[in-house]
Amino acid sequence: MMAGDPMLSLRVSEIKDPAALFERYSTEEIRRVERKVRGEIEQKKEELRQMVGERYRDLIDAADTIGEMRQCSESVVESIQDMQRFCHTLKQGRTSAGGSRQEHQNQRQWQEKFYTMASQIKLLLEIPERIWSAMEASQYLQATQLYLLCCHLHSLLQLEAATGGLYSPVLARFPILVRQVATTGHFRSTILLDSRALLRGRAVSDQAIAEALVSTMLLEDSSPRQALADFLLARKASIHQLLNQPQHGAGIKAQVCSLVELLVTTLFQAYAVFYMPPEGGARPGEGALSCGILFSTLENVTSCTPTGKGRKVLQEEWSTGSWFRYLPPSITEFQPTLRTLAQPIQTEQLRDTLQQWINTCKQDICHGVATLLVYVKSLKGLAAIRDAVWDLLSTDSISQHWGNVCQQLLGRPLVVWEDFLQQLFLHRLETITKEETEAIAMSSVQLLTSAVRDLEGQTLQSSSGSNPVSSRGAQFEVDVASFLWSESPGDLLSDAAWVSVAKRGQQQRSGLAMKTQALTPCVQNFCSSLDAKLKARLDDLQHYLPSQNTGSDSIPATASSSRLPDSPSAFNRYTDSPEVEGALREGCVACVRHILASIRSELDSAPTRLGSVLFMARLCQSVGELCPSLKHCILGRQGTGEAMVKGTPRQGKKLGKSKAAPEVSPAQAKWAGLKEELLGCSMEAYRIWSSALAKGLVETFSASLLAESAGAVLTTATSWEDLEIQEESESGNSVTSKIRLPVQPSWFVQSLLFQLCVEVNKVGGHALPRLTLQELLQSCVLQVLHHYDILTEQRQDTEGALPITQNRALQLLFDLRYLNTTLSSRLEDGKTSRSQQDPRFHKICDWLESFIDPFDLDVFTPPLNVNLNRLSQRTSVLLGLLTGSEKQFSPRSSTVNSQEPYNILPLASSQIRFGLLPLSMSNARKPKSSSRGSDVSQNLAPQSSTAGSDDSFRPGSLFRQLADQDEDSTSASLFKLSWLSGMAK
């Protein structure tokens, strides 16, 4: 290993003589040297391959560069040699003859020709910069003229490519023109694009539009009709661009106004640019719009006559250069020309083309604006857009000449609002109104359902006896009497002391006024919520309608401040006011009908939940009164006008004695029909309540009436009265006998009437409809007669049943007649007759009288009638709403004995029932008060019949009437009236 170290350090470059290796080293060492050498050889080969691969392209480029350098150096050498030969020729020519004058002249002509060509090349090199400057200044007509001059120079210099693809001699001698010719070729398309882009702008002058169209005509060699088509196509593209721009870029109002402005501007510019007045017609007067600018501009540009007003392409600033004088006249006097003569467009063709364009754009505008209006969610926004369009079209620059322009171009007036936008706005208004009223209906139905569920929960809690914490509104709805007799801070308004009811608005109603109509908090909350939502819709609608104090053609203060009052307006903004109010009317009617449908479905699904049924009945009854906005929405402005007319009734009475039938408008008919639907639904709900109440009470009554045991009969019996009567015997002597007759109805009859009165008062019976009370009483009468009829059938069919004695028959007859008298007192407005009574009543009375001895019946009938009348009079106030006010304190039947002290209520004895009250006890006072009481009883009936219904039912009217009778007394206290102490008995 030690001997192998020198071999490893041996370098290949040190090997000079291979034979010396065999002399110095062994075979094994030589083999190792060989392997080392071969390894280095392979390594060098690999490095060579990599170097060749990486530097191959550089080598090729270097070789090409070397070849080009050789060629260039050879051409330089040849050029120098040519210059030497040329100089040598010049020297030889000078040494020859002085040259003839002809050669000198030829040389001068050649020099001028050279200068002419050089000036043209100079001009050609400066034209592109001038074209770009003109385009940057939007002077496309000047750019077009320079471009056409450049093309003329190309033809003069023969710069177009020759046949065979060879350059012209000028291009061969001036290589710089090659790039210039290529650059000039792009000007035509650029000028056309920019000119057509200019046609799309709204704020472009008429002259600029005409120059852009002339540029297009010169570049494309087109006719005025083609220019008109290009102009209208550009404006149509501009309309599409406005309709398709992003919504966040500009507001809807700005987009719609831009569309209207673009449409109006297009017609104005079509008149100014293309319209030519007919020959022989009247010339436009002073102050009129200019017209025919396209043809005047075209004549100004292309006129070549010496006296023409042609505008030269090369301006004066070009002539300042020394080279300008070498330009030929064909360049300095250059004017563009059209191949065909530009004839004015005929009026009929112009009218047809514009009308076709308007029809096409109308479809696009209607579709696009309808899409834009989807983003408008309120009538206030629609009104703002409409007013902005009105302000735009009412400006002096448009309104003064619009009618004349439309008549000249179209042969008819064109109202942009009515022809393009009015129906779109009206349709969007109807859609918004429908969506909002449907939302109101849905929210009202949800509120109704929630209130009904709360009432059902309150009913279940009260029936189970639990007392959880519940809403007072639901509690008051179940028991209206607790609401009526409870005190709340809102019973009286804060200004009740100094503001009369007549001066108070309909919205300002005290809680006490609500209680007098039994309007519970749930009903008030529902109606106030519905009224607030409808009020919001009504306020939103007012933005779209004219204000109350102005007419239909009025101008709001914001718009009229900048314009004189007599300035012409573009259109009447309020012509569609009836349709607008009709849309709200139909939406509100549909909303109320949707609520009524929900109420009817609730009534069908829950006929046994009387609390919910009464809530819905009161709700339907009071919606028309507690929601004044509903009436205003349906009647519209007509409702306000009616209110103003109704405020002065005396003026209407003075107009004449003849009363013509008032004309009913469709809105009034709609409102009347809706009130009928509400009243019908309310009466339907009340009918469900009355039938259920009557059925439940009469079932308890029938159980006692149809009792089979003697104990049950005795349990329901009441006290009878002993009466002494005098009769004449057969011998003519007077015989005194004692009879016993019932003076009170059976306990189950009293319980029926008392429970009926309690239930009626519990639901606020004073506010129940009169018809509902009549139906309730009639239902009770019919069911009572039905159970009496069952009693007759049982006694006829059943053998061995408890017999009906004469005394029981008398009591049953007294009960039946008392029930019939009490419950039938309000039927048919408190007036009953024998012909109107149920025939079953007389049948049952005859059946009961059959159990009484005929002789006894004749004796019992007069005092029985007296007892019946006395009982009716005594209980008329106690039963209150069941008997009605028409029978209270009024004279009774004439069959009553005048000596009877208890025949009428005001003649009750004046015993002291309330010891602590300051009542008079003087004997002189009693007969006076008794006589006064009789006078009062005789005078009250005619007063109640002649007075109006409002005065007779007004609280405290009876007290005031009786107090007026006592004005001569020394004390003003009402408690000194004798009848007041007798009422308590």
Side-chain angles (χ1 to χ4, degrees):
M1 293 298 295
M2 294 296 293
D5 291 337
M7 296 301 298
L8 293 176
S9 60
L10 182 63
R11 297 181 179 178
V12 179
S13 60
E14 295 178 354
I15 301 176
K16 302 296 184 178
D17 186 9
L21 293 176
F22 290 94
E23 294 177 357
R24 295 174 57 186
Y25 303 105
S26 62
T27 305
E28 187 65 25
E29 292 175 347
I30 291 174
R31 288 178 178 173
R32 281 187 294 179
V33 171
E34 180 185 5
R35 286 196 297 270
K36 182 179 178 182
V37 171
R38 290 184 182 276
E40 291 181 359
I41 291 172
E42 292 298 328
Q43 184 179 0
K44 295 298 181 181
K45 287 182 179 181
E46 183 65 25
E47 291 178 357
L48 182 60
R49 291 193 193 97
Q50 292 180 359
M51 183 185 68
V52 172
E54 292 176 356
R55 306 295 294 176
Y56 181 74
R57 293 182 181 177
D58 296 339
L59 293 175
I60 296 300
D61 292 340
D64 293 340
T65 303
I66 293 171
E68 291 177 358
M69 291 172 63
R70 182 188 304 111
Q71 294 178 359
C72 183
S73 61
E74 291 178 353
S75 62
V76 170
V77 171
E78 291 178 356
S79 298
I80 292 174
Q81 291 177 356
D82 292 338
M83 291 174 64
Q84 289 178 351
R85 286 194 297 270
F86 182 72
C87 292
H88 182 69
T89 304
L90 289 177
K91 290 179 180 180
Q92 290 180 354
R94 179 173 295 181
T95 57
S96 63
S100 62
R101 182 179 297 271
Q102 184 67 29
E103 292 179 356
H104 180 70
Q105 187 177 1
N106 292 336
Q107 185 178 3
R108 186 174 181 180
Q109 291 178 356
W110 179 86
Q111 187 177 8
E112 289 180 356
K113 185 177 181 181
F114 177 77
Y115 287 160
T116 300
M117 183 177 294
S119 62
Q120 294 178 12
I121 295 174
K122 169 69 174 177
L123 179 61
L124 189 61
L125 292 176
E126 290 189 2
I127 282 179
E129 183 179 356
R130 300 279 182 159
I131 292 178
W132 286 119
S133 299
M135 293 181 64
E136 289 177 358
S138 298
Q139 298 176 356
Y140 301 109
L141 180 57
Q142 183 180 356
T144 302
Q145 290 175 307
L146 292 174
Y147 169 74
L148 295 177
L149 176 60
C150 186
C151 294
H152 181 63
L153 287 174
H154 287 177
S155 62
L156 291 179
L157 296 176
Q158 299 179 356
L159 299 183
E160 291 81 1
T163 57
L166 299 178
Y167 287 122
S168 66
V170 178
L171 291 179
R173 292 186 175 273
F174 299 95
I176 193 174
L177 295 179
V178 176
R179 185 179 299 272
Q180 196 71 16
V181 172
T183 304
T184 307
H186 301 290
F187 280 125
R188 182 177 185 275
S189 59
T190 304
I191 295 174
L192 286 175
L193 288 176
D194 291 350
S195 299
R196 286 168 178 165
L198 179 70
L199 298 178
R200 301 181 183 180
R202 301 190 305 274
V204 183
S205 63
D206 300 342
Q207 185 63 39
I209 292 292
E211 291 182 358
L213 290 173
V214 170
S215 299
T216 306
M217 294 175 63
L218 292 175
L219 292 176
E220 294 184 342
D221 199 15
S222 57
S223 62
R225 294 186 61 183
Q226 183 62 36
L228 175 62
D230 293 341
F231 172 68
L232 296 179
L233 286 176
R235 290 307 172 93
K236 184 179 180 181
S238 182
I239 290 176
H240 282 283
Q241 182 180 2
L242 279 175
L243 292 174
N244 297 326
Q245 69 181 6
Q247 299 304 320
H248 60 270
I252 305 300
K253 180 169 67 174
Q255 287 184 260
V256 175
C257 290
S258 299
L259 282 172
V260 174
E261 182 183 5
L262 181 61
L263 180 65
V264 172
T265 305
T266 300
L267 291 181
F268 270 110
Q269 291 181 342
Y271 176 84
V273 175
F274 296 99
Y275 179 76
M276 290 291 291
E279 296 182 0
R283 304 299 298 176
E286 185 177 353
L289 295 176
S290 58
C291 58
I293 301 178
L294 175 70
F295 304 100
S296 61
T297 304
L298 192 61
E299 182 181 2
N300 190 19
V301 171
T302 60
S303 177
C304 298
T305 58
T307 59
K309 299 180 181 179
R311 184 173 60 181
K312 297 181 180 179
V313 178
L314 297 180
Q315 304 297 331
E316 295 181 357
E317 62 268 13
W318 293 72
S319 61
T320 57
S322 59
W323 53 272
F324 185 80
R325 55 193 177 92
Y326 294 103
L327 290 175
S330 61
I331 296 177
T332 56
E333 303 295 333
F334 175 76
Q335 291 289 104
T337 56
L338 282 174
R339 296 181 183 177
T340 57
L341 184 61
Q343 294 290 341
I345 303 176
Q346 297 182 2
T347 305
E348 292 77 10
Q349 295 177 351
L350 181 61
R351 180 176 303 170
D352 295 341
T353 304
L354 289 175
Q355 186 61 53
Q356 184 179 2
W357 178 82
I358 289 174
N359 295 335
T360 305
C361 292
K362 183 177 181 180
Q363 299 177 359
D364 299 336
I365 291 175
C366 291
H367 177 72
V369 173
T371 305
L372 292 176
L373 293 181
V374 174
Y375 298 97
V376 181
K377 301 298 182 181
S378 66
L379 304 188
K380 182 179 180 180
L382 284 178
I385 298 175
R386 180 201 60 185
D387 294 341
V389 173
W390 186 87
D391 291 336
L392 174 64
L393 296 179
S394 298
T395 55
D396 295 337
S397 59
I398 295 178
S399 59
Q400 290 181 357
H401 305 286
W402 177 250
N404 183 35
V405 168
C406 292
Q407 190 65 34
Q408 297 294 337
L409 291 179
L410 304 175
R412 64 177 182 87
L414 178 64
V415 183
V416 178
W417 171 254
E418 296 179 0
D419 293 346
F420 287 83
L421 302 177
Q422 185 177 19
Q423 292 301 320
L424 301 177
F425 276 67
L426 191 59
H427 177 71
R428 181 55 186 164
L429 183 143
E430 294 173 351
T431 303
I432 292 175
T433 305
K434 182 179 179 181
E435 292 176 353
E436 293 295 336
T437 51
E438 287 178 354
I440 293 174
M442 296 300 296
S443 61
S444 300
V445 169
Q446 292 177 0
L447 184 60
L448 174 68
T449 305
S450 175
V452 170
R453 298 298 174 264
D454 292 343
L455 292 175
E456 293 174 359
Q458 179 67 21
T459 304
L460 294 176
Q461 292 165 7
S462 60
S463 61
S464 62
S466 59
N467 295 320
V469 179
S470 60
S471 62
R472 292 181 61 86
Q475 183 180 0
F476 287 154
E477 199 67 39
V478 175
D479 187 7
V480 181
S482 62
F483 165 67
L484 298 179
W485 296 105
S486 63
E487 294 186 1
S488 59
D491 285 346
L492 291 177
L493 298 176
S494 59
D495 56 353
W498 55 83
V499 179
S500 63
V501 179
K503 296 180 180 180
R504 204 177 294 278
Q506 192 173 8
Q507 296 288 345
Q508 299 175 343
R509 304 181 64 179
S510 62
L512 196 59
M514 296 292 184
K515 290 180 180 179
T516 57
Q517 299 180 1
L519 299 178
T520 56
C522 289
V523 175
Q524 296 179 33
N525 294 337
F526 183 91
C527 292
S528 62
S529 175
L530 179 61
D531 185 68
K533 295 172 184 176
L534 292 177
K535 183 67 165 55
R537 298 307 318 144
L538 195 61
D539 292 342
D540 192 19
L541 183 71
Q542 298 308 314
H543 295 94
Y544 210 85
L545 297 177
S547 58
Q548 293 285 354
N549 55 355
T550 55
S552 61
D553 292 328
S554 63
I555 302 174
T558 57
S560 62
S561 59
S562 61
R563 196 178 301 113
L564 294 177
D566 56 351
S567 61
S569 59
F571 57 90
N572 187 355
R573 289 175 287 178
Y574 307 114
T575 54
D576 53 358
S577 295
E579 290 81 1
V580 173
E581 292 183 345
L584 183 61
R585 181 183 306 116
E586 295 298 330
C588 290
V589 170
C591 173
V592 175
R593 286 176 177 170
H594 184 75
I595 297 174
L596 286 177
S598 177
I599 290 176
R600 289 192 177 96
S601 64
E602 291 287 345
L603 292 176
D604 295 338
S605 61
T608 58
R609 299 192 288 269
L610 299 184
S612 303
V613 171
L614 283 172
F615 162 69
M616 290 182 280
R618 283 189 288 267
L619 180 62
C620 294
Q621 184 182 7
S622 57
V623 162
E625 183 178 359
L626 294 185
C627 297
S629 297
L630 177 62
K631 181 179 179 181
H632 294 161
C633 289
I634 294 178
L635 294 181
R637 297 297 178 87
Q638 183 181 7
T640 306
E642 289 178 354
M644 296 176 62
V645 173
K646 291 180 180 178
T648 58
R650 296 183 180 272
Q651 297 177 1
K653 294 180 180 179
K654 295 179 181 179
L655 294 178
K657 295 182 179 180
S658 61
K659 295 182 178 179
E663 296 182 1
V664 179
S665 64
Q668 292 174 334
K670 187 78 71 175
W671 173 241
L674 188 62
K675 289 196 298 184
E676 288 295 331
E677 293 182 23
L678 288 169
L679 181 60
C681 187
S682 175
M683 297 306 298
E684 180 182 352
Y686 276 127
R687 198 170 293 114
I688 294 174
W689 166 78
S690 61
S691 61
L693 178 61
K695 181 178 179 182
L697 293 177
V698 177
E699 283 180 358
T700 307
F701 167 84
S702 65
S704 301
L705 177 66
L706 303 177
E708 298 292 338
S709 62
V713 174
L714 293 176
T715 303
T716 59
T718 56
S719 63
W720 287 36
E721 183 182 25
D722 294 334
L723 293 177
E724 292 183 359
I725 60 174
Q726 292 182 356
E727 298 175 342
E728 185 178 355
S729 62
E730 295 178 358
S731 60
N733 297 328
S734 177
V735 179
T736 300
S737 60
K738 183 180 292 187
I739 60 175
R740 301 181 72 253
L741 293 176
V743 293
Q744 289 184 358
S746 301
W747 289 117
F748 61 87
V749 174
Q750 298 185 41
S751 177
L752 170 65
L753 295 177
F754 179 74
Q755 290 297 328
L756 183 60
C757 189
V758 168
E759 292 295 333
V760 170
N761 288 319
K762 185 178 179 181
V763 299
H766 64 281
L768 288 177
R770 189 182 186 89
L771 182 60
T772 299
L773 283 175
Q774 293 177 1
E775 291 179 353
L776 174 62
L777 299 180
Q778 174 130 19
S779 178
C780 290
V781 170
L782 294 178
Q783 295 190 41
V784 165
L785 292 177
H786 173 69
H787 288 292
Y788 268 98
D789 204 5
I790 293 176
L791 178 63
T792 61
E793 294 176 359
Q794 287 181 353
R795 296 303 173 185
Q796 294 175 0
D797 299 339
T798 305
E799 296 181 359
L802 182 67
I804 297 180
T805 62
Q806 179 172 327
N807 289 342
R808 188 183 180 193
L810 278 173
Q811 184 66 53
L812 290 175
L813 181 62
F814 186 82
D815 294 344
L816 179 60
R817 293 183 61 186
Y818 175 66
L819 283 173
N820 184 70
T821 302
T822 303
L823 298 180
S824 301
S825 62
R826 296 197 64 143
L827 300 181
E828 299 296 333
D829 295 332
K831 299 178 182 179
T832 58
S833 63
R834 186 175 181 86
S835 60
Q836 295 173 349
Q837 293 179 351
D838 196 318
R840 291 183 298 175
F841 171 73
H842 303 290
K843 177 182 176 183
I844 296 171
C845 288
D846 294 340
W847 178 74
L848 291 175
E849 290 175 355
S850 66
F851 293 99
I852 306 173
D853 184 78
F855 176 77
D856 293 341
L857 182 62
D858 293 338
V859 175
F860 294 162
T861 298
L864 193 66
N865 290 334
V866 172
N867 292 344
L868 183 63
N869 289 334
R870 183 191 301 120
L871 179 65
S872 298
Q873 294 158 11
R874 285 179 174 177
T875 58
S876 61
V877 176
L878 179 64
L879 297 179
L881 294 170
L882 301 185
T883 58
S885 60
E886 63 274 356
K887 282 196 173 184
Q888 298 175 12
F889 314 112
S890 59
R892 302 301 179 184
S893 174
S894 60
T895 60
V896 182
N897 188 5
S898 61
Q899 301 298 326
E900 174 61 46
Y902 299 102
N903 58 347
I904 56 177
L905 186 61
L907 296 182
S909 60
S910 58
Q911 297 180 4
I912 297 179
R913 190 65 178 267
F914 306 99
L916 299 180
L917 293 178
L919 300 178
S920 175
M921 289 299 297
S922 61
N923 294 330
R925 182 72 174 168
K926 291 181 180 179
K928 184 177 181 179
S929 62
S930 300
S931 63
R932 184 183 297 114
S934 62
D935 295 337
V936 171
S937 64
Q938 296 175 3
N939 293 332
L940 281 179
Q943 288 180 3
S944 62
S945 62
T946 57
S949 59
D950 295 338
D951 296 334
S952 61
F953 291 102
R954 185 175 300 169
S957 61
L958 180 61
F959 288 90
R960 286 192 295 271
Q961 294 169 8
L962 295 176
D964 294 339
Q965 303 289 335
D966 200 22
E967 290 179 353
D968 57 344
S969 62
T970 58
S971 176
S973 175
L974 291 179
F975 292 104
K976 293 185 178 182
L977 297 175
S978 61
W979 64 270
L980 186 58
S981 61
M983 272 181 66
K985 291 188 176 181

